[in-house]
Amino acid sequence: MFYPASTLTAGTAKATYQAGLAAIRGGQTSIDLAGLTAVDSTAVATLVGWQRAALQQGASLALLNPPAALHSLASLYGVSDLLQLPAPAPRTDLPHH
């Protein structure tokens, strides 16, 4: 399984994208995003590119444990369905009434 570094922003996107492509070409079908702590719009573009690469190989790609910020960006750009992100974990830091 491929695990991107903690930051997937404009400064790291190219290297992360290339590393993910190499993993996909090597047969990886899951990418664990749990370690991502900083994302921007380039993260969404990276994930779309990875999905496209997997589809071109006739495979499906599971994007696991995406952070809430990535869910928000995917929703903002209208690509949530395309990325097939699993539902975000419920927040436990909010008060219950």
Side-chain angles (χ1 to χ4, degrees):
M1 184 175 308
F2 178 64
Y3 299 88
S6 62
T7 302
L8 183 45
T9 59
T12 62
K14 184 176 180 179
T16 303
Y17 176 70
Q18 294 298 329
L21 282 182
I24 292 165
R25 289 181 186 131
Q28 295 293 317
T29 58
S30 298
I31 296 178
D32 191 337
L33 306 171
L36 289 178
T37 57
V39 295
D40 65 13
S41 61
T42 58
V44 175
T46 298
L47 301 185
V48 169
W50 288 343
Q51 284 288 13
R52 184 178 60 236
L55 288 172
Q56 287 173 343
Q57 288 189 191
S60 62
L61 182 65
L63 299 170
L64 308 174
N65 305 309
L70 193 52
H71 270 283
S72 295
L73 286 170
S75 178
L76 176 68
Y77 293 115
V79 296
S80 295
D81 291 341
L82 173 69
L83 295 177
Q84 301 175 7
L85 296 176
R91 293 191 53 184
T92 59
D93 60 333
L94 299 176
H96 297 278
H97 295 279

